[in-house]
């Protein structure tokens, strides 16, 4: 199995005249290194808005006036319902996502209760959570409740991050990821492309993810949201999206690359190109503040590209 490429070579491949080479090498790596099963997950936005962090891309930050829907903890019943629906749609796992920097003691207890109920109600589906910055003590409790995978995005190149968020740092995120790895959790860690990163920063981001060695890399494409500081940035050029996926694949040869936010802004043609150069997983169903991909649409594209997918289950 390939160990990927060096930084200088990765940067050189992003030159426009080497686009075809970049994509064909990424495709070859995908064929040789990536499991031919397209993995799907789903999420529930279990606490929305009123976040004190100032991430410039995020509609849920209290620093920006976005009209984002806000509500507190949705409760165990809502999480169980989401788990059952995700399982019925053929998802491999369901993720509980909460807005905010971290969890209070009460929050941890609420999430633990939901995880236990979800495991009982839908034992066939994996349990993931994106809960902000977490201590080892909290992670121990969540693991005991049945949590299997921890999501915490690096978001972008460490050199770019301080210009996009000042209330926490990449080091804060890495501390959570290291604690989760220490406890034996699977790790989901990716980020957002299209936030103004240079070629050099895209390469930096790809290699930072390689160092983390996550079990899954969600690849979001910025969906500019009115009211946020990035509202005027615009949708990333589709060809740049495909090139970014190809670069991530070459640097991370066997890690699943997952369609995430921004998938609905792509045409199926662009999505198919992304699968060709390395996408091998997806988040389907509702996302946080934007609509997500349809299970059947991405299932069809995956099968057409030669991937097997979980059979869609009947809804009870």
């Amino acid at each position: 199995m390939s160990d990927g490429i060096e930084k200088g070579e990765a940067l050189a491949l992003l030159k426009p005249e080497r686009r075809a080479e970049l994509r064909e090498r990424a495709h070859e790596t995908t064929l040789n290194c990536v499991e031919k099963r397209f993995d799907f997950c789903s999420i529930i936005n279990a606490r929305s808005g009123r976040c004190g962090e100032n991430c410039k891309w995020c509609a849920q930050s209290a620093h920006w006036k976005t009209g984002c829907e806000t509500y507190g903890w949705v409760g165990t019943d809502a999480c169980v319902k989401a788990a059952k629906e995700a399982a019925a749609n053929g998802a491999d796992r369901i993720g509980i996502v909460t807005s905010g920097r971290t969890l209070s003691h009460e929050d941890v207890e609420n999430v633990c209760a939901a995880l236990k109920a979800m495991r009982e109600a839908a034992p066939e589906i994996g349990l993931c959570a994106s809960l902000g910055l977490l201590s080892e003590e909290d992670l121990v409790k969540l693991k005991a409740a049945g949590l299997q995978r921890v999501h915490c995005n690096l978001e972008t190149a460490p050199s770019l991050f301080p210009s996009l968020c000042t209330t926490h740092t990449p080091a804060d995120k890495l501390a959570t990821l290291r604690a989760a790895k220490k406890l034996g959790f699977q790790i989901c860690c990716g980020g957002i492309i299209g936030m103004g990163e240079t070629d050099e920063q895209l390469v930096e981001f790809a290699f930072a993810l390689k160092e983390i060695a996550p079990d899954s890399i969600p690849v979001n494409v910025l969906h500019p949201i009115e009211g946020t500081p990035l509202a005027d940035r615009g949708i990333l050029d589709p060809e740049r999206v495909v090139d970014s996926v190809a670069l991530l694949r070459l640097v991370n040869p066997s890690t699943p690359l997952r369609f995430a936010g921004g998938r609905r802004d792509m045409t199926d043609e662009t999505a198919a190109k992304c699968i060709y150069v390395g996408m091998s997983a997806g988040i389907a169903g509702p996302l946080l503040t934007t609509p997500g991909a349809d299970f059947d649409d991405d299932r069809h594209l995956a099968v057409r590209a030669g991937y097997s997918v979980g059979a869609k289950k009947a809804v009870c």
Side-chain angles (χ1 to χ4, degrees), residues 195-230:
M195 296 197 293
E197 66 276 1
T198 63
D199 284 357
E200 290 79 4
Q201 287 168 330
L202 178 60
V203 171
E204 179 191 353
F205 174 52
F207 277 88
L209 291 173
K210 180 177 181 178
E211 186 172 347
I212 292 167
D215 298 280
S216 170
I217 297 176
V219 184
N220 297 273
V221 183
L222 180 70
H223 178 88
I225 296 173
E226 186 175 353
T228 66
L230 299 186

Side-chain angles (χ1 to χ4, degrees), residues 44 46 73-81 83 94 96 98 106-122 127-129 131 142 145-147:
I44 175 172
W73 171 245
V74 296
T76 293
D77 289 347
C79 292
V80 168
K81 180 182 178 184
I94 177 78
I96 297 176
T98 57
E106 181 182 0
D107 293 333
V108 173
E109 296 304 314
N110 285 337
V111 174
C112 284
L115 288 167
K116 292 174 183 176
M118 293 160 78
R119 169 58 62 241
E120 183 176 348
L127 297 179
C128 178
L131 308 169
L142 293 163
L147 187 65

Side-chain angles (χ1 to χ4, degrees), residues 22-94:
L22 167 67
R23 295 183 181 184
E24 288 309 309
R25 285 180 60 175
H27 177 61
E28 182 179 358
T29 299
T30 301
L31 292 177
N32 292 333
C33 301
V34 177
E35 182 183 3
K36 294 305 289 184
R37 183 181 183 279
F38 207 88
D39 172 279
F40 281 104
C41 66
S42 189
I43 65 174
I44 175 172
N45 190 6
R47 183 177 67 195
S48 180
R50 298 192 291 265
C51 180
E53 305 301 286
N54 66 355
C55 308
K56 290 184 177 180
W57 61 85
C58 186
Q60 298 196 71
S61 172
H63 293 260
W64 326 128
K65 295 181 179 179
T66 64
C68 166
E69 185 179 9
T70 62
Y71 50 82
W73 171 245
V74 296
T76 293
D77 289 347
C79 292
V80 168
K81 180 182 178 184
K84 288 181 177 179
E85 290 176 350
N89 279 319
D92 294 274
R93 69 189 56 78
I94 177 78

Side-chain angles (χ1 to χ4, degrees), residues 284-297:
L287 298 177
L288 298 179
T289 60
T290 58
D294 181 83
F295 272 101
D296 287 335
D297 287 347

Side-chain angles (χ1 to χ4, degrees), residues 2-308:
S2 170
D3 290 326
I5 59 175
E6 299 299 319
K7 291 182 180 179
E9 186 181 9
L11 184 59
L13 283 169
L14 286 171
K15 293 180 180 179
E17 63 269 23
R18 297 188 69 179
R19 170 171 286 161
E21 181 186 354
L22 167 67
R23 295 183 181 184
E24 288 309 309
R25 285 180 60 175
H27 177 61
E28 182 179 358
T29 299
T30 301
L31 292 177
N32 292 333
C33 301
V34 177
E35 182 183 3
K36 294 305 289 184
R37 183 181 183 279
F38 207 88
D39 172 279
F40 281 104
C41 66
S42 189
I43 65 174
I44 175 172
N45 190 6
R47 183 177 67 195
S48 180
R50 298 192 291 265
C51 180
E53 305 301 286
N54 66 355
C55 308
K56 290 184 177 180
W57 61 85
C58 186
Q60 298 196 71
S61 172
H63 293 260
W64 326 128
K65 295 181 179 179
T66 64
C68 166
E69 185 179 9
T70 62
Y71 50 82
W73 171 245
V74 296
T76 293
D77 289 347
C79 292
V80 168
K81 180 182 178 184
K84 288 181 177 179
E85 290 176 350
N89 279 319
D92 294 274
R93 69 189 56 78
I94 177 78
I96 297 176
V97 184
T98 57
S99 64
R101 179 185 179 88
T102 188
L103 298 183
S104 67
H105 173 75
E106 181 182 0
D107 293 333
V108 173
E109 296 304 314
N110 285 337
V111 174
C112 284
L115 288 167
K116 292 174 183 176
M118 293 160 78
R119 169 58 62 241
E120 183 176 348
E124 71 274 30
I125 199 165
L127 297 179
C128 178
S130 181
L131 308 169
L133 305 176
L134 297 169
S135 68
E136 187 171 328
E137 179 183 2
D138 290 339
L139 287 165
V140 167
K141 293 177 181 177
L142 293 163
K143 188 175 180 67
L147 187 65
Q148 298 161 312
R149 179 174 288 193
V150 172
H151 170 268
C152 185
N153 272 350
L154 194 60
E155 302 299 5
T156 190
S159 66
L160 181 60
F161 191 90
S163 69
L164 296 169
C165 176
T166 61
T167 49
H168 61 273
T169 68
D172 294 326
K173 292 174 172 292
L174 288 171
T176 292
L177 292 167
R178 289 189 184 112
K181 276 202 163 188
K182 176 183 175 182
L183 293 170
F185 283 101
Q186 296 173 14
I187 298 297
C188 182
C189 180
I192 308 170
I193 56 175
M195 296 197 293
E197 66 276 1
T198 63
D199 284 357
E200 290 79 4
Q201 287 168 330
L202 178 60
V203 171
E204 179 191 353
F205 174 52
F207 277 88
L209 291 173
K210 180 177 181 178
E211 186 172 347
I212 292 167
D215 298 280
S216 170
I217 297 176
V219 184
N220 297 273
V221 183
L222 180 70
H223 178 88
I225 296 173
E226 186 175 353
T228 66
L230 299 186
D232 296 331
R233 180 157 294 281
I235 300 292
L236 189 62
D237 177 74
E239 299 305 315
R240 176 66 171 187
V241 173
V242 178
D243 289 347
S244 298
V245 173
L247 189 281
L248 287 166
R249 170 54 65 219
L250 285 176
V251 178
N252 300 273
S254 60
T255 308
L257 300 180
R258 184 177 302 278
F259 283 118
R263 166 64 182 92
R264 287 288 290 268
D265 294 324
M266 298 180 197
T267 64
D268 281 352
E269 179 184 7
T270 298
K273 288 180 180 180
C274 287
I275 293 174
Y276 182 83
V277 301
M279 285 288 202
S280 61
I283 302 176
L287 298 177
L288 298 179
T289 60
T290 58
D294 181 83
F295 272 101
D296 287 335
D297 287 347
D298 280 0
R299 190 178 281 117
H300 171 73
L301 290 176
V303 169
R304 195 172 71 184
Y307 286 87
S308 64

